[in-house]
Amino acid sequence: MPRSAALFPVAVLLVCALAAGDAGARGSAGATGAGDPYFPAAGNGGYDVLHYGLTLGYEPGVRRLVGEAEIEARAEQDLSAFSLDLQGMRVGSVEVAGRAARFHRGGGGGHELVVRPRAAVRKGAGFTVVVRYSGLPEVVRDPDGSEEGWLVTEDGALALGEPVGARAWFPGNHHPADKAAYDITVAVPAGLQAVSNGELRGRTREGGRDVFRWHVGEPMASYVATVAVGKFAVRRSRTGDGLPVYVAVDPGQVAASAEVLGRIPEVVAWGERTFGPYPFSSAGAIVVGEGDAEYALETQNRPVFPGAPGLELLVHEVAHQWFGNSVTPESWRDMWLNEGFATYAEWLWAEEHGGDSAQEVFDLLYAGDYFEKKADGDAVWAFPPGRPPNAARISGSPVYERGAMVLHRIREETGDEVFRGILRGWAAVHRHGNADTDDFTAYVERKAPGVDFSRIWADWLYGEGRPAAVPAEKETP
């Protein structure tokens, strides 16, 4: 377990089950990237992380973070060296199996911490990682211009990670293909709170600081890990099935967000009827001040909202708990499996709660009449959802709206009963795992073997421009 957050300076410990031998033991260095087509420097090769134990201390007045990470992993090759993603921050020392290890910064734009243990780690061996780090965590600017990483707020900070911002506040294997369990302990000045993922296992006062201990038992990709430090109004409740709901709201957003946040149990229950059992052991939300972040994010267990959310946005982010957080993309090329599904969840919710039907939304988008601005309507057809042109476009309109249109075309071809089975089955087959677009198309074809999906894949998922109109006889009633 991580040492007490009151005991700083702190270390990142990588304790390993090592091969017998010394620095001359055989092995090769793990890759300094996971091979992602859009973020080639993200993640690393040669090992699989099983658990992160993060112990953090943050001082908002000076914006200083001091951290310890215990990283339990398994070697996927004989490792003479391995890398962790870490941007900025000063590394004081690294230990492997309690012995000082050599390390240097480099690769991946300077975002790699390369560690060379005194003895190679054998393939298949479990190992636990020790690195001391501290400093002023940085904001990460995405290729699309948005900001993530460690965002300073008026009374604290907010950590957001999609796609690579987690490297700003803890070292790790920061690619969605490597999910792990987490224990996150955060010490902050007395009077502030630290909210994270999972369940709050303890809150104590140590040395004039309040220490919060959070536990995430289910696998989590690092891009949906979060820490929010500041003053929050906290409300605890349970769904009708007993699922704990933990909501933390910026005091200035309490009144504006109360009604929508009060519907979290209802939205979760609807999600279970639509997508299958809720995949995590708690739910909730974090609402920060307006302007504290540029976008909402489906951080695991409790999504983050910059200001009071609307009901449609709440439905979208709760749906991500199934699609994105439980079933996580194999690479950033598969982003539409997150956003297309969450967008279609909005359509289904509206259809079942007195709004437009999914067919009506589909038709408006196809005709270019859904958005007020013509440019927004045209943007839907800018590129295929299954093949964004570059890293700056993985959150573009085709990934959301046209991704949802792909799902609706499947529904049109299969009918409601089979389609609903596909939604629930996809979430079940890949629960707490990773999947890519080929996995999805193959799954759909297995579930509806008498249907020819080739035109949907060619025209709607991978085709350029707006596909030809759907024949009237194929429309969903």
Side-chain angles (χ1 to χ4, degrees), residues 376-411:
D376 292 337
D378 293 342
V380 172
W381 314 107
F383 58 84
R387 193 180 293 115
N390 52 53
R393 309 294 292 280
I394 63 169
S395 293
S397 180
V399 172
Y400 287 70
E401 282 77 30
R402 189 169 165 185
M405 295 176 87
V406 171
L407 296 177
H408 191 72
R409 287 290 293 113
I410 295 170
R411 182 183 179 186

Side-chain angles (χ1 to χ4, degrees), residues 205-256:
R205 178 68 58 86
E206 300 179 22
R209 309 171 96 195
D210 286 338
V211 181
F212 298 79
R213 295 178 173 85
W214 294 87
H215 172 72
V216 182
E218 301 89 359
M220 180 169 71
S222 65
Y223 80 89
V224 287
T226 190
V227 168
V229 175
K231 295 179 180 178
F232 294 100
V234 173
R235 182 174 180 271
R236 297 170 183 258
S237 62
R238 289 184 179 271
T239 67
D241 292 336
L243 182 75
V245 178
Y246 187 102
V247 174
V249 185
D250 179 275
Q253 302 296 320
V254 171

Side-chain angles (χ1 to χ4, degrees), residues 31-45 47 83-86 107-109 111-112 148 161 163-167 172-178 222-223 330-332:
T32 58
D36 191 273
Y38 297 110
F39 296 89
N44 300 283
Y47 64 92
S83 297
L84 301 170
D85 301 315
L86 181 64
H111 303 150
E112 300 290 341
E148 58 183 78
V164 294
R167 72 190 186 201
N173 196 19
H174 294 311
H175 188 270
D178 193 357
S222 65
Y223 80 89
E330 190 68 32
S331 81
W332 289 111

Side-chain angles (χ1 to χ4, degrees), residues 49-307:
V49 176
L50 307 177
H51 178 266
Y52 290 95
L54 307 178
T55 304
L56 310 173
Y58 186 61
E59 292 290 344
V62 294
R63 303 182 179 181
R64 179 177 172 80
L65 179 70
V66 183
E68 172 185 287
E70 296 184 359
I71 306 173
E72 300 175 16
R74 180 181 297 111
E76 296 183 328
Q77 66 181 67
D78 289 347
L79 286 171
S80 61
F82 54 87
S83 297
L84 301 170
D85 301 315
L86 181 64
Q87 177 168 333
M89 308 299 286
R90 185 187 66 83
V91 176
S93 65
V94 178
E95 297 173 4
V96 175
R99 304 171 70 189
R102 290 180 291 165
F103 66 92
H104 69 273
R105 308 299 293 271
H111 303 150
E112 300 290 341
L113 173 62
V114 182
V115 179
R116 185 173 295 278
R118 293 194 179 189
V121 184
R122 292 294 190 201
K123 179 179 179 180
F127 64 99
T128 302
V129 173
V130 169
V131 179
R132 293 188 173 94
Y133 72 105
S134 61
L136 306 181
E138 299 179 1
V139 172
V140 177
R141 186 170 292 278
D142 290 341
D144 67 2
S146 60
E147 293 184 343
E148 58 183 78
W150 192 266
L151 308 176
V152 174
T153 64
E154 183 177 351
D155 58 1
L158 172 66
L160 294 180
E162 188 179 80
V164 294
R167 72 190 186 201
W169 59 283
F170 70 97
N173 196 19
H174 294 311
H175 188 270
D178 193 357
K179 300 165 69 172
Y182 283 70
D183 283 282
I184 302 175
T185 298
V186 189
V188 295
L192 296 182
Q193 291 170 290
V195 184
S196 189
N197 310 89
E199 292 73 59
L200 183 61
R201 289 291 179 84
R203 175 179 179 176
T204 57
R205 178 68 58 86
E206 300 179 22
R209 309 171 96 195
D210 286 338
V211 181
F212 298 79
R213 295 178 173 85
W214 294 87
H215 172 72
V216 182
E218 301 89 359
M220 180 169 71
S222 65
Y223 80 89
V224 287
T226 190
V227 168
V229 175
K231 295 179 180 178
F232 294 100
V234 173
R235 182 174 180 271
R236 297 170 183 258
S237 62
R238 289 184 179 271
T239 67
D241 292 336
L243 182 75
V245 178
Y246 187 102
V247 174
V249 185
D250 179 275
Q253 302 296 320
V254 171
S257 62
E259 181 179 355
V260 168
L261 295 182
R263 300 185 71 174
I264 290 175
E266 176 189 356
V267 175
V268 170
W270 173 82
E272 290 199 299
R273 292 193 301 273
T274 308
F275 309 127
Y278 183 75
F280 302 112
S281 50
S282 67
I286 301 171
V287 180
V288 296
E290 293 182 351
D292 286 345
E294 297 178 349
Y295 52 85
L297 184 62
E298 61 271 19
T299 43
Q300 192 156 302
N301 303 92
R302 51 192 51 83
V304 169
F305 301 98

